[in-house]
Amino acid sequence: DQQVKQNSPSLSVQEGRISILNCDYTNSMFDYFLWYKKYPAEGPTFLISISSIKDKNEDGRFTVFLNKSAKHLSLHIVPSQPGDSAVYFCAASGGGGSNYKLTFGKGTLLTVNP
Amino acid sequence: DTAVSQTPKYLVTQMGNDKSIKCEQNLGHDTMYWYKQDSKKFLKIMFSYNNKELIINETVPNRFSPKSPDKAHLNLHINSLELGDSAVYFCASSRQTSGGPQYFGPGTRLTVT
């Protein structure tokens, strides 16, 4: 029962272009969404988050968009840099008694080519 | 100045042994977590403690026992290790229990032979 889905296992973009990573969720109780970046042999690093009361949050080169009606969020990275190459995880929390429990997607491997 | 640290980073042991993984955070956070990343790469929560009190206990075998001596530490003890316990275990912490980002440690790769 995957409540958070990242349907693209990998994405390859050219340096300087935009990277768009997508995430879908099924649990309508989720009200807080996060993106994490992970390098091999390291722990996930928090990138950016968005609350369900917003539809956009921006932090430097990173922007997260939330479409609640479609239960979809996306992470835009622009311009993409080779150092952005990593696995990106979408995560969600909210609702019920365990509203601080993060449910993760399976991740998307982003490769930014110089 | 690692914010969330775990030891050891790698752990290789035989079936049936008992082992512990330690986690410490210096962020002043109240809540700590253990996650497991299995062979399919899914990160799944196992436990959460808030101020030394257990608040999440997912369907984890009781061979796994977390212990929080203080709010800066959350250790994971595993009894009678099985092959299926092989995974990467991540510790995390957050400032509050009701949402907010969680900050992860570097992970401990456990291999049971």
Side-chain angles (χ1 to χ4, degrees):
Chain A
D1 178 25
Q2 262 184 274
Q3 298 186 64
V4 177
K5 298 179 185 178
Q6 294 177 255
N7 292 318
S8 297
S10 62
L11 174 68
S12 182
V13 300
Q14 211 57 33
E15 181 178 5
R17 306 295 291 267
I18 185 171
S19 296
I20 300 177
L21 297 129
N22 293 303
C23 178
D24 297 296
Y25 62 96
T26 57
N27 188 339
S28 56
M29 298 297 287
F30 286 147
D31 58 9
Y32 184 65
F33 304 88
L34 310 90
W35 284 95
Y36 284 83
K37 171 180 174 179
K38 186 182 180 303
Y39 293 118
E42 293 184 13
T45 300
F46 169 67
L47 269 179
I48 192 169
S49 63
I50 188 167
S51 163
S52 60
I53 62 174
K54 294 185 174 182
D55 54 19
K56 176 183 174 181
N57 189 23
E58 192 172 352
D59 184 0
R61 296 186 298 113
F62 302 91
T63 303
V64 56
F65 295 92
L66 175 62
N67 182 335
K68 288 195 297 284
S69 60
K71 294 192 177 67
H72 177 83
L73 65 155
S74 60
L75 175 68
H76 292 210
I77 307 172
V78 55
S80 301
Q81 300 172 353
D84 296 329
S85 298
V87 176
Y88 287 79
F89 289 96
C90 170
S93 70
S98 299
N99 58 354
Y100 33 79
K101 177 178 76 171
L102 292 182
T103 300
F104 282 85
K106 201 171 175 180
T108 296
L109 173 63
L110 173 66
T111 303
V112 180
N113 301 303
Chain B
D1 281 23
T2 307
V4 182
S5 59
Q6 295 177 229
T7 53
K9 188 160 176 66
Y10 299 97
L11 184 53
V12 181
T13 188
Q14 291 185 326
M15 283 176 56
N17 285 347
D18 303 338
K19 290 293 178 186
S20 292
I21 307 172
K22 294 186 176 181
C23 178
E24 176 180 1
Q25 55 94 4
N26 62 7
L27 297 167
H29 289 165
D30 292 324
T31 309
M32 296 185 72
Y33 312 80
W34 277 108
Y35 284 82
K36 178 180 179 180
Q37 186 178 33
D38 58 23
S39 56
K40 296 182 180 178
K41 304 301 182 188
F42 278 109
L43 268 161
K44 291 184 181 176
I45 192 162
M46 300 172 69
F47 301 102
S48 177
Y49 269 72
N50 182 51
N51 274 321
K52 302 192 296 176
E53 182 182 341
L54 180 67
I55 51 174
I56 292 178
N57 184 349
E58 292 292 291
T59 49
V60 177
N62 57 15
R63 297 182 295 103
F64 290 78
S65 54
K67 286 190 172 42
S68 181
D70 55 62
K71 74 174 193 177
H73 295 84
L74 180 62
N75 304 323
L76 183 65
H77 189 77
I78 315 171
N79 288 328
S80 303
L81 278 155
E82 301 177 356
L83 292 176
D85 298 332
S86 295
V88 183
Y89 292 85
F90 291 99
C91 177
S93 72
S94 67
R95 183 178 301 172
Q96 55 194 9
T97 57
S98 56
Q102 296 177 17
Y103 296 89
F104 284 77
T108 296
R109 180 174 291 278
L110 171 65
T111 303
V112 183
T113 61

